[in-house]
Amino acid sequence: MDVLDVSRWQFAITTVYHFLFVPLTIGLAFLVAGLQTAWHRTGNDNWLRLTKFFGKLFLINFAMGIVTGIVQEFQFGMNWSAYSTFIGDIFGAPLAIEGLAAFFVESTFLGLWVFGWDKIGKRMHLACIWIAATASAASAYFILVANSFMQWPTGHRINPQTGRVELVDLAALLGNKVAAITFPHTIAACFLTAGAFVTAVAVWHITRGTPSADTFRPAVKLGATTALIASIALIVTGDIQGKIMTDVQPMKMAAAEALYETEQPAPFSVITIGSLDGTEEVFSVKIPGLLSWLGTGDATATVVGINDLQDQYTALYGPGDYRPNIPLVYWSFRAMVGLGMATALTAAAALWMTRRGNTPDLARPVTRLLVITVITAPMLALAASSFGWIFTETGRQPWIVFTLLKTADGVSPAVTLAEVLTSLTVFTLLYAVTAAIEVALLLRYIKTGLSEPDRDMAY
C-alpha cells in the first residue's frame, strides 16, 4: 500500500458517496417543479401538498450534496497536486462557469423558492423552481465537460516550457463529443433515480394505508412513468455512448467486453470468466457480431482487442501496462446495465399493482415481494449510477488524463502515506455520520407524510 493507492481509494470513496446525492437532487428538482406546475394549472390542493412534501425531501438531499461535494476540491489540492498543476488551466473554465454561474443561479433561485411562498407572485415563484432545476442540470453539464476532458482531451495544447496543458479552444472543450453524449445519459439516470424515489415513497404510503394514501396515487404514476421514459433514454444514449467510446477509448470498450483478441465481427459477451489476474479468457458465452454493431453500428466491423491495443499503446506511449482492471471494468458495466433495467421493471410493477385505484395486497407473498422491490428501487438506481461511474473512471486507467498524464504521475509528490490515511479515515467517518443524518431525516419526513395546505403560503 502506497500513497497512490490510498489516494485513489479516498477519491473513489468520496466521489461515489457524493454522487449518491447528485442524481436524486437533479431529477427530483424537475419532478417537484412538475408537481407545482400541476397545482398552478389546476388549483388542486393535493398537488400543492405533494409539491411541499417532495420539495422538503429534495432540500434535505440538496443540502447533503453540497456538504459532500466540498471535499472534492480539497482532495485536488492535497492528494493530486501534480494533476491539478497539469490540468488547472483547462479545468478553470468549466469549473468557474459551474460555480459562478450555474450553481450561483441554482442556489439563488432555490432560496427564492424556499422563502418566497408568501412573498412573491405565484408565477414568479413557480419560475424559481424551474430555473433552479434547469441550473442544476447546467451545473452537471459543466462538471461533465471537465470529466470528459479526462476521457478525451480536446481544445488544448501542451506548453513546452511549463509542461502543462493550456486551453486554446473553449468551443472545442465545451463541445467535446464525450460530454455531448455523457450529459443526456447522466440526466436520464437522474430521472430514473428520482422517478424510482417518488414511486417508492408513494407506494409505501399506499400500501400502509396512511391518511394521505389516495393523494399519493398520482405520484406513483408520475414517478413510475418518469422512470420508464428515463430507462428508454438511457438505452438510446447508452448505445450512442458505446459507439463514441469505441472510437475514442477502444481499450475501455474491449475491457467492458473482455475482448482479448481482435475479431471481425466481434461478439458480445453475455458472460466471460477470465483468469484470476484478468489477462486471458477461460470461459465465455457470446452473441456473434453484436459487439461490432454496438460499438460501430456495423455488425461486420472489426473491434480491436485488449492484447493488440496493449501493443499499440506500448509503441505510442512507451513501456507499461495500459490495461485497466479488466474484471472490475467488465462486471461494473454489467452491474450498471442490470441494475438500471431492474429499476425500470420495478416502475412497471408499481404501475400494474396500483392500476385502477388498486391497493397491493400484502397478504400475497408475490405482491409483498414486489412491493418490497419497488420500495428499495431507489437504491438499485443509485447503485447503477455508481457502477456506471466506476466503469467510466476505472476503464480509463492507467490514465488520469487519457493519453496525456498517467494516474501515477498525478499524485502529490510531497504528501505522505500517514497524511492520506488520516484524511481518508476522517472523511470516511464524517461521511458515515452524514449518511446516517440523511437517512434519518428522509425517513422521518417520509413517515410524517403530507401536511395540510397552508393558506397563507398557498396564494
Side-chain angles (χ1 to χ4, degrees):
M1 184 171 58
D2 56 19
V3 171
L4 173 62
D5 292 332
V6 180
S7 294
R8 291 183 65 186
W9 270 107
Q10 178 174 312
F11 200 85
I13 291 171
T14 54
T15 300
V16 169
Y17 182 82
H18 169 63
F19 195 74
L20 292 177
F21 301 97
V22 174
L24 185 57
T25 296
I26 295 175
L28 199 53
F30 282 97
L31 294 188
V32 170
L35 289 168
Q36 186 170 345
T37 301
W39 171 65
H40 178 81
R41 293 176 63 88
T42 66
N44 188 328
D45 284 342
N46 287 337
W47 291 116
L48 173 61
R49 297 172 70 193
L50 289 170
T51 298
K52 292 190 174 184
F53 174 78
F54 284 107
K56 187 177 296 183
L57 302 180
F58 159 69
L59 290 173
I60 293 171
N61 198 75
F62 176 80
M64 289 298 179
I66 293 176
V67 171
T68 58
I70 293 174
V71 177
Q72 306 305 310
E73 287 78 6
F74 175 82
Q75 289 184 99
F76 283 134
M78 176 179 177
N79 296 351
W80 301 97
S81 62
Y83 161 77
S84 299
T85 300
F86 178 78
I87 206 172
D89 291 342
I90 296 291
F91 265 32
L95 294 186
I97 296 173
E98 188 275 334
L100 298 178
F103 181 73
F104 178 79
V105 171
E106 178 187 7
S107 56
T108 298
F109 282 91
L110 188 57
L112 289 172
W113 183 76
V114 172
F115 298 106
W117 280 97
D118 56 345
K119 297 177 176 64
I120 59 179
K122 187 176 180 180
R123 291 184 179 181
M124 180 60 69
H125 188 262
L126 176 62
C128 286
I129 187 61
W130 277 110
I131 293 172
T134 303
S136 70
S139 179
Y141 181 76
F142 292 116
I143 294 295
L144 290 172
V145 164
N147 180 266
S148 294
F149 182 86
M150 298 164 63
Q151 312 293 337
W152 181 245
T154 57
H156 72 286
R157 76 179 185 98
I158 296 181
N159 187 318
Q161 279 75 41
T162 63
R164 300 170 59 185
V165 290
E166 297 177 348
L167 180 63
V168 297
D169 189 341
L170 180 61
L173 176 68
L174 296 179
N176 188 326
K177 61 183 178 181
V178 175
I181 190 57
T182 301
F183 174 69
H185 190 68
T186 302
I187 294 300
C190 295
F191 279 110
L192 179 71
T193 303
F197 179 78
V198 170
T199 304
V201 172
V203 167
W204 184 85
H205 277 277
I206 290 172
T207 55
R208 289 290 297 268
T210 60
S212 53
D214 287 339
T215 307
F216 275 103
R217 291 188 180 278
V220 174
K221 294 181 180 179
L222 173 65
T225 302
T226 298
L228 288 172
I229 294 174
S231 66
I232 296 173
L234 282 168
I235 292 172
V236 174
T237 56
D239 176 66
I240 300 172
Q241 193 173 32
K243 291 173 172 57
I244 292 176
M245 183 172 63
T246 302
D247 179 36
V248 302
Q249 289 183 306
M251 180 66 86
K252 183 185 291 185
M253 173 57 85
E257 294 304 318
L259 184 71
Y260 289 91
E261 303 299 334
T262 301
E263 295 194 41
Q264 182 190 17
F268 176 86
S269 169
V270 177
I271 183 172
T272 296
I273 305 299
S275 58
L276 291 177
D277 59 2
T279 59
E280 61 181 352
E281 177 185 311
V282 175
F283 169 80
S284 66
V285 176
K286 299 180 178 180
I287 302 175
L290 183 56
L291 178 57
S292 292
W293 182 79
L294 291 174
T296 67
D298 181 358
T300 64
T302 300
V303 178
V304 184
I306 295 168
N307 294 333
D308 285 338
L309 287 169
Q310 168 64 24
D311 293 339
Q312 291 178 21
Y313 288 175
T314 300
L316 286 171
Y317 309 115
D321 187 354
Y322 296 93
R323 298 167 299 180
N325 185 319
I326 296 170
L328 178 59
V329 174
Y330 180 89
W331 290 109
S332 62
F333 176 75
R334 275 148 185 79
M336 172 190 68
V337 175
L339 291 169
M341 293 177 63
T343 304
L345 290 175
T346 65
L351 286 176
W352 174 257
M353 290 188 296
T354 58
R355 71 194 186 282
R356 301 174 184 173
N358 290 340
T359 297
D361 183 5
L362 297 182
R364 299 176 59 187
V366 174
T367 302
R368 185 166 60 252
L369 178 61
L370 283 175
V371 168
I372 293 173
T373 305
V374 169
I375 292 174
T376 57
M379 300 306 298
L380 299 179
L382 289 172
S385 294
S386 297
F387 277 114
W389 277 111
I390 290 171
F391 166 72
T392 298
E393 298 303 298
T394 59
R396 188 183 63 244
Q397 300 303 317
W399 302 99
I400 192 170
V401 182
F402 187 61
T403 74
L404 298 182
L405 183 70
K406 291 184 177 181
T407 305
D409 298 325
V411 71
S412 298
V415 71
T416 66
L417 179 60
E419 290 171 336
V420 182
L421 282 172
T422 299
S423 61
L424 171 61
T425 303
V426 171
F427 288 147
T428 302
L429 291 175
L430 287 175
Y431 276 3
V433 172
T434 58
I437 295 173
E438 161 89 356
V439 172
L441 286 174
L442 288 178
L443 291 179
R444 174 184 175 184
Y445 286 106
I446 287 172
K447 291 178 179 179
T448 300
L450 302 179
S451 59
E452 291 300 322
D454 186 338
R455 291 296 169 189
D456 293 335
M457 298 179 63
Y459 306 102

